[in-house]
Amino acid sequence: MKILYFASLKESIGKREDTIQIDGKKKIYQIIDELKNSDSNYNTAFTKIKNLQYAVNCEYVNKNSFVTNKDELAIFPPVTGG
Amino acid sequence: MKILYFASLKESIGKREDTIQIDGKKKIYQIIDELKNSDSNYNTAFTKIKNLQYAVNCEYVNKNSFVTNKDELAIFPPVTGG
Amino acid sequence: MKVIFQKQNFVIEKQISLFSKTNKINEGAIVLFVGKARHKYKDKKILSIDIELYEKMAIFQTKKIIKNLKKKYNILDYLLIHRFGKIKPGENIILILVSSEHRKQSFGFSEELIDWLKVKATFWKKEHFSKNSKWVSQKESDRKLIKT
Amino acid sequence: MKVIFQKQNFVIEKQISLFSKTNKINEGAIVLFVGKARHKYKDKKILSIDIELYEKMAIFQTKKIIKNLKKKYNILDYLLIHRFGKIKPGENIILILVSSEHRKQSFGFSEELIDWLKVKATFWKKEHFSKNSKWVSQKESDRKLIKT
């Protein structure tokens, strides 16, 4: 599954995307917990940046939503368009 | 005192303004009653056109307001600007 | 910062170009509103409209409301053009241009100004159809937007 | 009826001129909104901003909201341009142009669209000052305008 990071989260993690493998389906917060445990960069970024937003295949979701290997997950701080 | 008429009221009366003399002060509705009694054109116009608005020296007022010889009275149907 | 009542038509691009030229400190938003003469009233084709104006009162009242709105919305600049006389369908009738630091200021100013003009500015529209002419009635929905 | 996300700046006069050329049946109102890059944040001089974009999602979401707003306000035409990349103070960031039969439709469409873009469109602004750079925070006041 592809995970995209944007803005301050991208800068804090130090990359714009990851590709991970998951069996069946997982909740978004489980994936984030695994990333945080895997590397201190992720741990710092996900702890520091507040009010993160989640989107699966371009639809806003909350972190209790399930994702599978076919999905594109995006994680980002609140947007500031317009 | 100058009285100005606009739009449908002007057309119905058949002129754009009148100059009348008043002693001291008078209420606007008294002036209109006198005009109505003086001529059937005025009577028809002031009876037919609803929701007339009144302005004295460019300020909106109601028909119980007083006017004197020095004032400019304007009478007109609801505006449709913009 | 101008109020113009004129007979001749105006070109939107030219007005916005002139308006943009003056330097506005920390400008963040521009709102433009243009009201145009429509081609139809209900199903009847409009051939032209005539707008009558009580100019002295329109100027006096419009300057008063703009003074209040400028303070209320703290805008940086504005331009108001309102035409009178003969106008053909498709032509512009009115233009409002506003500049402010934040968007809500320009939107608030322009919407409140046009709402006010509709029921308080001393202009009267008459529509000419092929068989008759009719003075336009003030809309109940517009009247409700303005208190007193 | 177009949504454009682009890096290059745009000329307001040119956009409104092109927009006005297409014939709109019984058009009575045009509203334009332009959002510009400001020169200061509080008292600090802004040298430039960078706008990051998650384009696929921004297009998908913007088209969805516009579809709803088009229906809600029954507008005749619209154009949305939103820039990304490097932008200097004083330059345009966003343009909304709307055309409708009555004014409330164009005002409603443009205000609701910009309100939505501020808190839902996947753009992120970073302001560069002389000594540091800072990601812009979403405004609480903007967030309150949009339900969920």
Side-chain angles (χ1 to χ4, degrees):
Chain A
M1 187 189 60
K2 208 194 237 183
I3 311 179
L4 307 176
Y5 312 112
F6 292 95
S8 55
L9 183 68
K10 179 187 75 183
E11 284 186 351
S12 186
I13 290 173
K15 52 176 161 175
R16 63 175 64 247
E17 65 178 79
D18 274 314
T19 303
I20 62 163
Q21 289 297 347
I22 48 175
D23 297 331
K25 58 184 185 176
K26 252 183 200 162
K27 290 192 170 187
I28 292 169
Y29 75 80
Q30 292 177 305
I31 291 169
I32 291 173
D33 282 345
E34 286 169 23
L35 288 168
K36 283 164 83 173
N37 290 333
S38 74
D39 183 306
S40 69
N41 256 8
Y42 289 107
N43 191 37
T44 309
F46 281 109
T47 306
K48 188 177 68 181
I49 298 163
K50 301 302 175 197
N51 302 314
L52 284 173
Q53 315 276 298
Y54 312 93
V56 174
N57 306 324
C58 299
E59 290 279 14
Y60 279 101
V61 296
N62 68 49
K63 63 181 172 185
N64 292 310
S65 297
F66 282 105
V67 286
T68 71
N69 255 337
K70 289 175 304 182
D71 291 323
E72 178 173 287
L73 169 64
I75 312 178
F76 45 80
V79 305
T80 52
Chain B
M1 186 189 62
K2 210 193 238 182
I3 311 178
L4 307 176
Y5 312 111
F6 292 96
S8 55
L9 183 67
K10 179 187 73 182
E11 284 186 350
S12 186
I13 291 174
K15 50 178 162 174
R16 64 174 63 247
E17 66 180 78
D18 274 313
T19 303
I20 62 163
Q21 289 297 347
I22 49 177
D23 298 329
K25 58 183 186 177
K26 249 181 201 163
K27 289 193 172 186
I28 293 169
Y29 75 80
Q30 293 177 304
I31 291 170
I32 292 173
D33 283 344
E34 286 168 25
L35 288 168
K36 283 164 82 172
N37 290 331
S38 73
D39 185 306
S40 68
N41 256 10
Y42 289 107
N43 191 37
T44 309
F46 281 109
T47 307
K48 188 176 67 181
I49 299 162
K50 302 301 176 198
N51 302 313
L52 284 173
Q53 316 275 298
Y54 313 93
V56 174
N57 307 324
C58 299
E59 290 280 13
Y60 279 101
V61 295
N62 67 51
K63 63 181 171 184
N64 293 310
S65 297
F66 283 105
V67 286
T68 71
N69 254 338
K70 289 176 304 183
D71 291 323
E72 177 173 291
L73 169 64
I75 312 177
F76 45 80
V79 306
T80 51
Chain C
M1 304 258 190
K2 254 194 283 190
V3 175
I4 299 167
F5 300 148
Q6 66 183 33
K7 282 201 174 178
Q8 66 271 31
N9 203 353
F10 53 84
V11 178
I12 302 174
E13 297 92 299
K14 198 177 273 176
Q15 294 302 330
I16 204 163
S17 169
L18 286 167
F19 186 78
S20 304
K21 268 192 191 104
T22 58
N23 212 39
K24 286 135 199 152
I25 295 161
N26 227 25
E27 178 183 53
I30 298 172
V31 166
L32 165 143
F33 168 75
V34 171
K36 303 183 76 169
R38 282 187 288 269
H39 288 77
K40 287 189 296 180
Y41 171 74
K42 289 177 183 173
D43 273 344
K44 286 166 75 181
K45 196 166 185 282
I46 297 167
L47 303 182
S48 68
I49 63 169
D50 264 301
I51 301 184
E52 187 173 329
L53 166 61
Y54 177 17
E55 189 167 21
K56 188 164 64 167
M57 179 162 170
I59 289 174
F60 175 78
Q61 291 283 334
T62 304
K63 288 198 168 166
K64 202 161 65 164
I65 185 77
I66 284 180
K67 199 179 159 195
N68 292 339
L69 294 177
K70 266 173 64 184
K71 206 181 292 173
K72 177 171 178 184
Y73 292 108
N74 194 23
I75 59 157
L76 300 171
D77 197 6
Y78 75 87
L79 170 66
L80 166 65
I81 302 177
H82 197 313
R83 292 178 66 199
F84 60 96
K86 197 164 205 70
I87 294 173
K88 290 194 197 122
E91 285 184 14
N92 308 315
I93 298 175
I94 179 170
L95 171 134
I96 298 173
L97 259 166
V98 201
S99 161
S100 59
E101 212 165 325
H102 302 283
R103 75 188 188 282
K104 291 290 171 194
Q105 299 165 321
S106 279
F107 273 118
F109 181 96
S110 48
E111 276 207 80
E112 209 169 315
L113 179 56
I114 177 66
D115 287 351
W116 181 90
L117 288 164
K118 290 267 174 192
V119 296
K120 292 288 179 183
T122 46
F123 291 83
W124 297 267
K125 291 195 188 92
K126 190 175 194 175
E127 291 173 333
H128 300 295
F129 304 101
S130 65
K131 288 185 183 148
N132 63 334
S133 296
K134 223 173 159 307
W135 289 97
V136 174
S137 297
Q138 199 180 75
K139 280 193 198 166
E140 177 65 26
S141 58
D142 285 335
R143 201 150 46 230
K144 279 185 187 149
L145 296 170
I146 304 290
K147 343 145 205 39
T148 72
Chain D
M1 304 257 191
K2 256 195 282 191
V3 175
I4 299 168
F5 299 148
Q6 66 182 34
K7 283 201 172 179
Q8 66 270 31
N9 203 352
F10 53 84
V11 178
I12 302 173
E13 297 92 299
K14 198 177 276 178
Q15 294 302 330
I16 204 164
S17 168
L18 286 168
F19 186 77
S20 305
K21 268 193 192 103
T22 58
N23 212 40
K24 285 137 199 149
I25 295 161
N26 228 25
E27 178 182 53
I30 299 172
V31 167
L32 165 141
F33 168 75
V34 171
K36 303 183 74 168
R38 282 187 289 268
H39 289 76
K40 287 189 298 182
Y41 171 74
K42 289 175 182 174
D43 274 342
K44 287 167 75 182
K45 196 167 185 287
I46 297 167
L47 304 182
S48 67
I49 63 169
D50 265 300
I51 301 184
E52 187 174 328
L53 166 61
Y54 177 17
E55 189 167 21
K56 189 165 62 167
M57 181 161 169
I59 289 175
F60 176 77
Q61 291 282 336
T62 305
K63 289 199 169 168
K64 201 161 63 166
I65 185 77
I66 285 181
K67 199 180 158 192
N68 291 339
L69 293 177
K70 265 174 63 184
K71 206 182 293 177
K72 178 173 177 182
Y73 291 108
N74 194 23
I75 59 156
L76 299 171
D77 197 7
Y78 75 87
L79 169 67
L80 166 65
I81 302 178
H82 197 314
R83 291 178 66 198
F84 60 96
K86 195 164 205 73
I87 295 173
K88 290 194 195 121
E91 286 184 12
N92 308 316
I93 298 175
I94 180 172
L95 172 134
I96 298 174
L97 258 167
V98 202
S99 161
S100 59
E101 210 165 328
H102 301 283
R103 74 187 189 283
K104 291 289 170 195
Q105 299 165 320
S106 279
F107 274 119
F109 181 95
S110 49
E111 276 207 80
E112 207 168 316
L113 179 56
I114 178 65
D115 287 351
W116 181 90
L117 288 164
K118 290 268 174 191
V119 296
K120 291 290 178 180
T122 46
F123 291 83
W124 296 268
K125 291 196 188 92
K126 191 175 195 176
E127 292 174 332
H128 300 295
F129 305 100
S130 65
K131 287 183 181 150
N132 64 336
S133 297
K134 224 173 158 307
W135 289 97
V136 174
S137 297
Q138 198 180 76
K139 282 192 195 166
E140 177 65 23
S141 57
D142 284 335
R143 200 151 44 232
K144 278 185 189 153
L145 296 170
I146 303 290
K147 343 146 203 39
T148 70

